[in-house]
Amino acid sequence: MIGHSVKSTSVLFVVVFCILLQFLSRYVAAPVTDFVLDDWACLAGAGDYPSYTSLAQTCWTEKSRPLTLLSTMVLFKAVGDRSAVFSLLSLFFYSSILAVYVLSVYAVTRSRLAALLAGSIFSVLPNLTESFHWGQLTGMAWMYLAYLAMVVGWLYYVRTLKVRYLFGSLLAYGASVFTYEVFFLMPLALLFIIDVSQLRKTMVRWVFFPAISLVYLAWRFTSLFGVKTSIQTFDSTAHGFDFTGLFFNTCQIAGWWFGDNMIAAMANGLMRFSMLTASKQYLFILAGVLATSLLCWMILRADKQSHSQ
């Protein structure tokens, strides 16, 4: 019992450390930022609707991502141009996302070291910072939380075989994929989290995820099941499946995460850092050294505990 309590406390400490590291990396230098052009466009569009009802009726018939438009427009209509509120919401959403992410990694691996490394990497990747200070993305940040909730729900279902966890996981996937299909293929990853002793029963119920995927594809390919066929818009799906396009998109994604875009993000960060006053530079350097030292100490401590167990 005591060992379980110590382990739970150490996992909670990992979560808190990663959230603090993320706060230091994303928000300390610029707690509140101005709107970008897309944000002003969303604010103007949200103001065109006299009520939330009329806004919802229009957004629901959006061709590609109805929930994305709905959540974004509702947020801009409710908050207006108060950038500080967007920053607070961003801090809340992305801290929640990080906490669930770290706990999910720990639940899958049962390793505090793996959870610590995964959370730390997520907290400091430079090419993610833009998302945290972009009001339009704040309006759909809950979608990432829903994708993670899908994984958590599936984990609980595999371990308990209780249908309510499966239902919650399916509901989270449906809400998230209709918001933004960035993790459209995530159900494939769930196949690696299956209890072999319950393989048949689990696999039979896993097919509900591809079923939701097919409904979403039908939604996109039929222009909202025919509702929006009278509106002429560019539809990339009309060109059919193309391996050349798939290869190009894969290269673009790789370039964003590991190529020139990431290098440019780092270079931009160094340039901004050089523009700070000397006292602030020393403060950030000291904070970075302390955070790195604490991270190294936690890794060594977790590794020592894993060997002793």
Side-chain angles (χ1 to χ4, degrees):
M1 184 72 179
I2 296 177
H4 176 73
S5 177
V6 171
K7 183 178 291 187
S8 300
T9 302
S10 61
V11 173
L12 179 61
F13 184 72
V14 169
V15 172
V16 173
F17 172 80
C18 292
I19 290 177
L20 290 176
L21 185 62
Q22 177 175 261
F23 179 78
L24 178 66
S25 172
R26 315 292 187 196
Y27 296 99
V28 171
V32 179
T33 58
D34 294 329
F35 280 0
V36 297
L37 184 61
D38 290 347
D39 297 331
W40 289 114
C42 288
L43 181 63
D48 292 337
Y49 297 95
S51 66
Y52 289 100
T53 302
S54 60
L55 186 151
Q57 289 174 344
T58 301
C59 293
W60 187 245
T61 58
E62 201 275 331
K63 182 179 180 181
S64 301
R65 303 182 181 107
L67 292 181
T68 300
L69 185 62
L70 178 62
S71 60
T72 302
M73 287 299 185
V74 167
L75 178 63
F76 275 92
K77 186 172 181 61
V79 177
D81 60 353
R82 291 171 288 181
S83 300
V85 178
F86 279 91
S87 295
L88 288 173
L89 289 173
S90 172
L91 179 62
F92 168 76
F93 277 121
Y94 286 107
S95 296
S96 302
I97 290 168
L98 179 59
V100 176
Y101 172 63
V102 171
L103 292 174
S104 299
V105 173
Y106 176 75
V108 172
T109 64
R110 308 307 298 179
S111 169
R112 284 163 288 181
L113 177 59
L116 177 62
L117 290 175
S120 300
I121 292 172
F122 182 88
S123 300
V124 299
L125 278 177
N127 50 335
L128 288 179
T129 303
E130 180 186 38
S131 302
F132 288 71
H133 297 283
W134 191 351
Q136 187 177 6
L137 289 188
T138 302
M140 50 188 286
W142 67 270
M143 171 266 302
Y144 297 105
L145 199 58
Y147 274 116
L148 289 172
M150 176 193 74
V151 177
V152 174
W154 180 254
L155 279 169
Y156 275 95
Y157 169 69
V158 169
R159 291 177 179 174
T160 64
L161 293 181
K162 293 182 178 180
V163 178
R164 65 172 179 267
Y165 293 124
L166 175 64
F167 179 77
S169 182
L170 291 168
L171 182 63
Y173 177 65
S176 52
V177 78
F178 273 89
T179 303
Y180 199 80
E181 68 282 359
V182 60
F183 295 121
F184 176 77
L185 297 178
M186 185 176 276
L188 294 177
L190 301 183
L191 294 175
F192 294 94
I193 316 173
I194 287 182
D195 186 355
V196 179
S197 62
Q198 301 286 343
L199 182 61
R200 182 177 178 181
K201 180 183 291 187
T202 308
M203 284 297 298
V204 167
R205 292 180 174 178
W206 174 84
V207 298
F208 287 109
F209 289 101
I212 294 175
S213 303
L214 290 176
V215 171
Y216 173 75
L217 288 176
W219 172 283
R220 293 295 298 270
F221 275 83
T222 60
S223 298
L224 242 83
F225 300 118
V227 174
K228 302 289 287 185
T229 52
S230 60
I231 297 180
Q232 299 297 320
T233 57
F234 176 76
D235 186 1
S236 59
T237 58
H239 300 285
F241 181 79
D242 185 358
F243 280 103
T244 304
L246 178 63
F247 175 75
F248 176 78
N249 289 339
T250 303
C251 291
Q252 291 293 100
I253 294 172
W256 173 258
W257 285 99
F258 307 109
D260 53 349
N261 283 310
M262 185 172 187
I263 295 173
M266 291 180 176
N268 183 62
L270 290 173
M271 182 187 70
R272 296 291 182 184
F273 181 79
S274 66
M275 297 170 63
L276 297 174
T277 61
S279 58
K280 289 185 178 179
Q281 290 183 12
Y282 289 135
L283 180 63
F284 277 112
I285 291 174
L286 177 62
V289 170
L290 291 176
T292 304
S293 302
L294 182 59
L295 177 62
C296 293
W297 174 78
M298 291 177 64
I299 291 174
L300 292 173
R301 184 171 178 269
D303 186 60
K304 183 178 179 180
Q305 288 181 349
S306 63
H307 283 299
S308 62
Q309 292 173 359

